[in-house]
């Protein structure tokens, strides 16, 4: 069982319009609604790969009820979300049919009380003995301490559970001190954390800050990894003009699934890049077509070297 933590869950709503124009009314051609938040997106991809997953975090209000109802539709997924008095946020994505671009509007999420935060920590600690890995993903809702991820990482380490952290901003800067086994920033987050825009240098710097391994998403260029075993770059077979929303979450699912299957780093990166590319090619952001993913696997290139024994 893999555990994904999404403290700021969301109901993701996607509108498709023929052409998005400022200061104009639009007729929506298609609406998609589904449970979201980074950890939930990771869980969806993991279940598509055949892994059992438990999702935890917070959910509340009418939006939270819809989200939890939709989670019951996902095979192999267990809902361990903690109820709160506030209302789960919505994220609205508007896809421009002419350009293919996406405009997002993200609500901040419900304010979490001290009592609700304590209840979550109790649920989290209770889940750890039964899981093989945990991913802590996404933003922090109002009321959750900025150092929350560092504390949750330390709790998992004390339980002997490997961890992955995927967040940004202050939560990332504070969270890396919790020494995640894998830190998964994108290029912008990596530069913000380290002050360096040179990916190789920044990735090494991020690892020195406490992460066991750093796997940086470089968009269409694939992944750059600095690990205790060596350094690698992994790239998709070609550049894709797809929707990048959800591609990073698919990469996290690839890293986690290969981790619990005890795959070597080259295999982990190959899987993560293929899943990320498959997600970018999906008509629904963050979904992965299993056949597309399997077709892409053979074309991923991994270059680098393992450390000398």
């Amino acid at each position: 069982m893999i555990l994904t933590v999404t403290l700021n869950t969301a109901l993701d709503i996607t509108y498709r319009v023929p052409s998005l124009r400022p200061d104009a009314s639009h007729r929506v051609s298609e609406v998609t609604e589904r449970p979201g938040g980074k950890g939930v997106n990771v869980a969806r991809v993991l279940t598509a790969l055949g892994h059992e997953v438990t999702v935890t975090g917070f959910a509340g209000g009418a939006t939270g009820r819809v989200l939890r109802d939709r989670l019951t539709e996902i095979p192999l997924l267990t809902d361990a979300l903690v109820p709160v008095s506030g209302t789960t946020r919505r994220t609205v994505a508007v896809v421009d049919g002419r350009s293919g671009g996406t405009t997002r509007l993200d609500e901040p999420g419900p304010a979490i009380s001290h009592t609700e935060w304590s209840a979550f920590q109790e649920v989290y600690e209770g889940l750890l003995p039964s899981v093989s890995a945990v991913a802590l993903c996404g933003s922090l809702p109002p009321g959750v301490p900025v150092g929350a991820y560092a504390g949750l990482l330390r709790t998992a380490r004390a339980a002997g559970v490997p961890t992955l952290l995927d967040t940004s901003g202050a939560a990332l800067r504070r969270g890396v001190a919790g020494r995640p086994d894998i830190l998964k920033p994108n290029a912008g987050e990596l530069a913000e954390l380290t002050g360096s825009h040179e990916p190789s240098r920044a990735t090494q710097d991020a690892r020195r800050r406490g992460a066991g391994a750093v796997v940086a998403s470089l968009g269409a260029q694939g992944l750059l990894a600095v690990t205790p075993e060596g350094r690698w770059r992994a790239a998709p077979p070609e550049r894709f003009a797809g929707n990048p929303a959800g591609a990073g979450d698919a990469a996290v699912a690839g890293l986690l699934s290969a981790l619990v299957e005890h795959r070597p780093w080259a295999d982990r990166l190959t899987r993560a890049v293929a899943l990320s590319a498959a997600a970018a090619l999906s008509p629904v952001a963050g979904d992965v077509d299993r056949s597309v993913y399997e077709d892409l696997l053979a074309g991923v290139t991994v270059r680098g070297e393992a450390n000398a024994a």
Side-chain angles (χ1 to χ4, degrees), residues 103-148:
T103 299
R104 287 178 57 94
L105 301 171
D106 294 345
E107 296 179 357
I112 305 301
S113 70
H114 177 75
T115 300
E116 290 165 343
W117 175 238
S118 296
F120 167 79
Q121 290 176 291
E122 185 175 339
V123 168
Y124 175 75
E125 290 178 21
L127 290 168
L128 289 175
S130 62
V131 303
S132 53
V134 58
L136 300 112
C137 304
S139 61
L140 302 176
V144 172
V146 70

Side-chain angles (χ1 to χ4, degrees), residues 10 50 58 97 159 189 196 212 248 251 263 280:
F58 298 109
E189 293 160 352
S196 173
R263 302 272 185 166

Side-chain angles (χ1 to χ4, degrees), residues 4 6 12 34-46 49 89 104 135-139 164 166-167 184 186 189 217 223 244-257 271-272 275-277 279-280 285-288:
T4 68
T6 312
D12 290 344
R34 64 179 189 171
K38 291 182 71 65
V40 173
N41 296 338
V42 171
R44 184 185 296 109
V45 178
L46 285 168
L49 295 174
R89 67 185 178 134
R104 287 178 57 94
L136 300 112
C137 304
S139 61
L164 182 150
D166 182 10
T167 187
K184 213 294 293 173
N186 61 32
E189 293 160 352
S217 293
L223 298 174
D249 300 333
V252 168
L255 294 170
L256 274 178
S257 62
R271 182 178 295 184
L275 283 169
S276 180
D287 276 357
V288 170

Side-chain angles (χ1 to χ4, degrees), residues 255-276:
L255 294 170
L256 274 178
S257 62
L259 168 67
V260 300
E261 293 170 20
H262 307 291
R263 302 272 185 166
W265 268 104
D267 288 356
R268 299 183 197 184
L269 297 171
T270 297
R271 182 178 295 184
V273 167
L275 283 169
S276 180

Side-chain angles (χ1 to χ4, degrees), residues 44-68:
R44 184 185 296 109
V45 178
L46 285 168
T47 61
L49 295 174
H51 287 273
E52 294 184 352
V53 186
T54 295
V55 295
T56 190
F58 298 109
T63 307
R65 288 193 293 273
V66 174
L67 182 148
R68 300 187 82 165

